[in-house]
Amino acid sequence: MFKRAEEDRFEREIVPHLDSGYNLAVWLLRNSHDAEDALQNAAIKAHQRLGSMRGGSAKAWFLAIVRNECMNSARGKKMEWSLSEERDAPLACGSPEEEVLQRIQAENISAAINALDAPYREAILLREIEGLSYAEIGSVAQIPIGTVMSRLSRARKMLIEWLKEKERA
Amino acid sequence: MKCDTASKWLEAYLDGELDAVRSVELEEHLAGCASCSAGLAELRRLSGIVKEQVQPSELSGGKRVAILSGLPRKRERRIWLPAAAGFAVGCLVMLALWRPWMADGSIARALVADHIRSLMAQGAIQVVSSDQHTVKPWFQGKLSFSPSVVDLSSQGFPLLGGRLDYVEGRPVAALVYRRRQHFVNVFVGVGLSGSSADVDGFHTRHWTMGGLDYWAVTDASPADLEELQTDFEKAAGE
């Protein structure tokens, strides 16, 4: 009597990823209040556009919407970061030793990730915490797989440097 | 394979993104190269630390309900909403008028109607909290009895909150729990005895405890309700 295919599909495919969406929003916006608002907007958009979701990973599809809402939120608040910033120096050229890596000052690993610029923070989160594949990260962040790999690689180098330095101290 | 090629492939290998042929080549290289093996160990260690120490942020139950109830209704939903609301109100009116003649099962029907109404209405939860020590005192002064309120989140029924409701003209406490993506209303009241029945695809389960009647209503499975009753009684007895 109350079965509705669309609503059921939303429950089945999107609702299980609300926590992941919230987690991504918190990491990107660094603020739980803004993250809740972004997630709310993303849920409404996902609900409206569910019919346009074709195959693929529902999680990646939903996280892409969440990310977009986070960008809108950051833009509205004139926050000092951009996710589309093209600062990805290709890792293939130049040996890692020559690279100037961002220096991180942080107490623990969460704070260290939080100190990374948004594109790197996002790549690490989606890979290590959310377990997305390179292709899925690419579709969430709207970047080619090569860029996914170079961002992940730089993020990891910075975090490994931080770990080593912390252990030396 | 040279080390500079190997080092480029290490992360893809770690992330399970390197194809089988290259994986074998890399493994052969790693077997004979201490420096690349150390690099892989370092990447693995970082990955382990991140997975172990970074706590994902969790959405609170109240916020989850707010988000889900804030979704715009779709058109096909609007067709049945007034119908269901009419049905629920009709049930209540009929119950109010016909109570003396109603067969057993009328309470189950009234509670299911209330459950449906709570799913549709704003204010399904008047006190939003996953903390039993917040929800229970909220009922004080609103009811002439004191319902047991227990947190069952570790048993898979997170408490979302509670509200005051009226069933068959009697005030009842409604505790709202979640079972996976389903809501469970646990109604607590006096003189609500009756037998558990399925109504319109919803399940009900009745038990008594401390002289009060408890009714759990949900569209999750009857087995979930049985489990809820067992967990509820156990937690309330502790």
Side-chain angles (χ1 to χ4, degrees):
Chain A
M1 177 174 176
F2 299 113
K3 291 289 171 205
R4 305 159 310 277
E6 279 274 282
E7 298 299 323
D8 285 352
R9 190 172 175 215
F10 187 83
E11 285 227 343
R12 201 175 55 242
E13 306 212 38
I14 304 304
V15 171
H17 305 304
L18 285 180
D19 278 323
S20 295
Y22 180 62
N23 196 28
L24 174 64
V26 170
W27 277 104
L28 290 181
L29 296 172
R30 294 168 163 153
N31 163 341
S32 62
H33 183 77
D34 291 345
E36 285 174 357
D37 287 349
L39 184 67
Q40 170 92 68
N41 292 339
I44 291 172
K45 295 235 164 92
H47 191 253
Q48 285 166 349
R49 296 182 200 157
L50 197 58
S52 71
M53 186 179 86
R54 300 262 179 278
S57 153
K59 183 174 181 175
W61 182 81
F62 180 58
L63 291 183
I65 297 176
V66 172
R67 179 184 184 276
N68 207 34
E69 287 307 316
C70 290
M71 288 181 76
N72 289 340
S73 168
R75 216 176 281 138
K77 294 195 158 50
K78 303 208 165 44
M79 262 171 71
E80 278 295 309
W81 58 263
S82 157
L83 287 170
S84 48
E85 214 171 330
E86 271 316 317
R87 56 161 76 199
D88 307 291
L91 262 193
C93 357
S95 71
E97 287 78 17
E98 289 162 9
E99 259 184 275
V100 183
L101 295 171
Q102 186 186 344
R103 273 292 174 85
I104 307 172
Q105 304 280 339
E107 279 299 302
N108 55 44
I109 187 75
S110 296
I113 295 173
N114 223 1
L116 296 174
D117 283 346
Y120 304 109
R121 198 155 79 227
E122 169 181 69
I124 279 288
L125 171 79
L126 292 175
R127 175 63 220 144
E128 299 288 12
I129 306 292
E130 297 299 341
L132 262 50
S133 69
Y134 290 174
E136 287 170 334
I137 297 171
S139 83
V140 171
Q142 290 155 25
I143 47 174
I145 287 183
T147 310
V148 172
M149 292 172 72
S150 67
R151 284 186 185 177
L152 256 182
S153 192
R154 280 179 73 95
R156 282 169 166 157
K157 282 206 172 66
M158 290 187 263
L159 292 173
I160 286 174
E161 275 313 306
W162 169 80
L163 258 182
K164 282 185 181 165
E165 212 151 286
K166 188 160 169 291
E167 280 162 358
R168 269 198 296 271
Chain B
M1 183 188 291
K2 297 249 175 68
C3 282
D4 60 339
T5 311
S7 67
K8 266 184 246 161
W9 290 359
L10 276 182
E11 284 181 66
Y13 178 71
L14 175 86
D15 291 326
E17 300 261 354
L18 198 63
D19 63 64
V21 176
R22 285 177 177 178
S23 294
V24 171
E25 284 178 47
L26 180 65
E27 280 162 9
E28 281 168 3
H29 174 82
L30 285 170
C33 175
S35 150
C36 287
S37 297
L40 180 64
E42 220 155 45
L43 288 165
R44 280 216 170 105
R45 191 165 75 99
L46 174 69
S47 173
I49 288 174
V50 171
K51 287 193 176 85
E52 190 188 300
Q53 296 180 10
V54 177
Q55 293 294 323
S57 306
E58 272 180 33
L59 197 57
S60 71
K63 194 61 205 175
R64 176 186 293 266
V65 171
I67 286 175
L68 293 177
S69 60
L71 295 176
R73 309 285 189 195
K74 294 232 166 168
R75 181 172 290 147
E76 68 261 25
R77 208 165 171 174
R78 289 212 185 91
I79 295 167
W80 67 262
L81 253 174
F87 168 76
V89 170
C91 274
L92 291 171
V93 169
M94 279 171 61
L95 281 165
L97 293 175
W98 290 2
R99 190 170 356 141
W101 298 281
M102 286 293 281
D104 204 24
S106 69
I107 294 209
R109 188 162 283 278
L111 291 169
V112 166
D114 201 88
H115 176 78
I116 295 170
R117 209 156 43 105
S118 79
L119 297 182
M120 297 184 307
Q122 299 288 326
I125 304 180
Q126 292 162 342
V127 49
V128 177
S129 175
S130 57
D131 181 0
Q132 64 201 70
H133 305 297
T134 303
V135 177
K136 189 176 164 77
W138 184 84
F139 286 112
Q140 272 172 13
K142 299 184 177 72
L143 293 166
S144 56
F145 55 91
S146 177
S148 287
V149 181
V150 292
D151 178 27
L152 301 172
S153 48
S154 56
Q155 290 91 335
F157 298 97
L159 176 65
L160 304 180
R163 72 176 180 282
L164 191 64
D165 222 321
Y166 286 88
V167 174
E168 300 217 283
R170 297 184 187 90
V172 296
L175 311 174
V176 187
Y177 291 88
R178 185 166 59 80
R179 178 60 155 181
R180 295 182 297 273
Q181 310 315 328
H182 304 277
F183 291 101
V184 184
N185 268 295
V186 175
F187 297 95
V188 191
V190 181
L192 289 175
S193 60
S195 44
S196 313
D198 290 350
V199 180
D200 298 325
F202 291 87
H203 309 290
T204 66
R205 190 171 181 89
H206 172 245
W207 71 93
T208 57
M209 207 166 62
L212 296 175
D213 288 293
Y214 286 77
W215 283 87
V217 182
T218 188
D219 60 338
S221 75
D224 287 324
L225 284 190
E226 194 178 339
E227 202 183 320
L228 175 103
Q229 182 191 339
T230 312
D231 295 339
F232 198 103
E233 287 176 324
K234 188 156 170 274
E238 275 165 7

